[in-house]
């Protein structure tokens, strides 16, 4: 039996992992997050422990009591501009916490599955495969690359799953995503500016959760790229959303990245080649059109 501990269970990926793994009979699952359990009402049978990954004593205590076979580490500071402005906080959560987890995984022989990002790349030559050279252009990317280097030196089993522009519906509607933002803006008759010069392979949160599970199920080791398979700009995505909901596409204005004043630079063209994950893990992502439909249905179910 696999015993899986999830960090960051209150976040989007954490919620999707709980939804995917809780029904499985051959898994003992423990959800952990800083503070209270936001999934209690949704999943009353989900075992939960409060655990702050930046507190090494707390990490060791929870791991020593639960004795997981695998930790899926989803907790991170992922707001790119926040990382630029709060470098100490970004280092604590994105680098130091990973070192604490690695130390504990080594001590208790736990397989660590660490979620990373396309922002470790400079965006000059996407889409990227797993062997491409990392050159981050912002501090978020730097902290995630530091974390990868820590994981790669670990004396326990490890897998790094990099992903791109994750979207999906979170239970408490506390955060939005590109699909709902475009839908709600166009329904309100708002003109929106959407960039045409950034290319990504957007990832449905359910697909990323499945990638994490496949890595755990197969005890996979090494680096895997887990994303959607279609290279799209945010402008392309917005047009597809407008088409799905039959909304006015003339409200969508083309813009380039320089239009927006943001503290952190964004890489221009990332996106992933996912052949290795498809071949070794059996990973099969949804299309973006299918992702829009799933997001729409989930959002409608929460109204």
């Amino acid at each position: 039996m696999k015993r899986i501990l999830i960090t960051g269970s209150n976040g989007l990926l954490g919620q999707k992992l709980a939804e995917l793994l809780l029904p499985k009979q051959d898994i003992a699952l423990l959800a952990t997050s800083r503070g209270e359990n936001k999934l209690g009402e949704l999943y009353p049978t989900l075992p939960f422990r409060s655990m702050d990954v930046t507190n090494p004593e707390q990490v060791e205590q929870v791991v020593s009591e639960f004795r997981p076979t695998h930790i899926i580490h989803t907790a991170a500071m992922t707001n790119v501009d926040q990382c630029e402005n709060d470098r100490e906080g970004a280092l604590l959560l994105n680098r130091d916490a990973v070192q604490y987890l690695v130390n504990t995984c080594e001590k208790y022989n736990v397989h660590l599955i660490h979620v990373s990002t396309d922002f470790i790349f400079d965006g000059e030559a996407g889409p990227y495969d797993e062997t491409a050279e990392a050159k981050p252009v912002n501090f978020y990317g730097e902290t995630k690359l530091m974390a990868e280097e820590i994981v790669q030196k670990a004396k326990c089993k490890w897998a790094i799953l990099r992903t791109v522009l994750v979207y999906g519906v979170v239970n408490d509607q506390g955060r939005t995503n590109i699909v709902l933002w475009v839908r709600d803006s166009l329904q309100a008759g708002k003109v929106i500016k959407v960039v045409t010069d950034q290319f990504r392979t957007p990832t449905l949160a359910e697909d990323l959760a499945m990638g994490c599970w496949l890595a755990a199920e197969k005890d996979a080791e090494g680096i895997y790229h887990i994303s959607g398979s279609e290279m799209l700009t945010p402008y392309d995505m917005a047009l597809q959303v407008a088409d799905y909901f039959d909304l006015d596409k003339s409200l969508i204005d083309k813009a380039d990245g320089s239009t927006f004043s943001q503290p952190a630079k964004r890489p221009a063209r990332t996106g992933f080649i996912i052949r290795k994950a498809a071949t070794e893990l059996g990973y099969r992502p949804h299309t973006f059109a299918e992702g829009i439909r799933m997001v729409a249905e989930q959002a409608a179910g929460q109204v």
Side-chain angles (χ1 to χ4, degrees), residues 13 72-74 76 113-117 144 159-163 208 212:
L13 176 57
I72 301 176
H73 178 44
T74 81
I113 296 168
H114 172 72
V115 179
S116 192
T117 173
K144 295 297 284 186
I160 292 169
L161 272 52
R162 297 179 184 143
T163 193
L208 180 54
C212 291

Side-chain angles (χ1 to χ4, degrees), residues 53-56 59 73 87-103 143 146-147 150:
V53 290
T54 66
N55 181 327
V59 169
H73 178 44
R87 295 193 169 208
E88 276 187 34
L91 285 169
L92 181 62
L93 195 49
N94 292 352
R95 180 195 64 185
D96 299 351
V98 173
Q99 185 67 66
Y100 304 150
L101 281 164
V102 163
N103 294 346
T143 64
M146 292 174 199
I150 290 167

Side-chain angles (χ1 to χ4, degrees), residues 46 50 98 100 104 117 141 143 150 175 188 204 219 269-270 284:
L46 178 67
S50 180
V98 173
Y100 304 150
T104 307
T117 173
T143 64
I150 290 167
R175 58 183 275 180
L204 183 66
D219 295 316
R269 187 183 187 92
T270 63
R284 301 284 184 273

Side-chain angles (χ1 to χ4, degrees), residues 24-43:
K24 294 187 183 293
Q25 298 300 311
D26 54 345
I27 293 176
L29 191 61
L30 180 65
T32 72
S33 203
R34 186 161 53 188
E36 62 180 335
N37 179 18
K38 292 184 182 172
L39 302 184
E41 284 186 29
L42 197 61
Y43 305 114

Side-chain angles (χ1 to χ4, degrees), residues 105-126:
C105 287
E106 288 176 342
K107 184 171 179 179
Y108 294 98
N109 193 27
V110 183
H111 188 159
L112 178 63
I113 296 168
H114 172 72
V115 179
S116 192
T117 173
D118 60 319
F119 274 33
I120 67 161
F121 298 112
D122 62 11
E124 298 293 318

Side-chain angles (χ1 to χ4, degrees), residues 232-275:
L232 301 167
T233 66
Y235 181 77
D236 298 330
M237 297 176 220
L239 292 179
Q240 285 200 40
V241 173
D243 281 339
Y244 179 87
F245 292 104
D246 198 20
L247 294 167
D248 185 0
K249 287 190 280 198
S250 72
L251 295 169
I252 305 171
D253 278 357
K254 292 181 179 180
D256 61 58
S258 63
T259 310
F260 303 95
S261 55
Q262 296 167 303
K265 184 180 178 184
R266 269 61 171 176
R269 187 183 187 92
T270 63
F272 283 161
I273 296 162
I274 56 172
R275 196 175 303 116

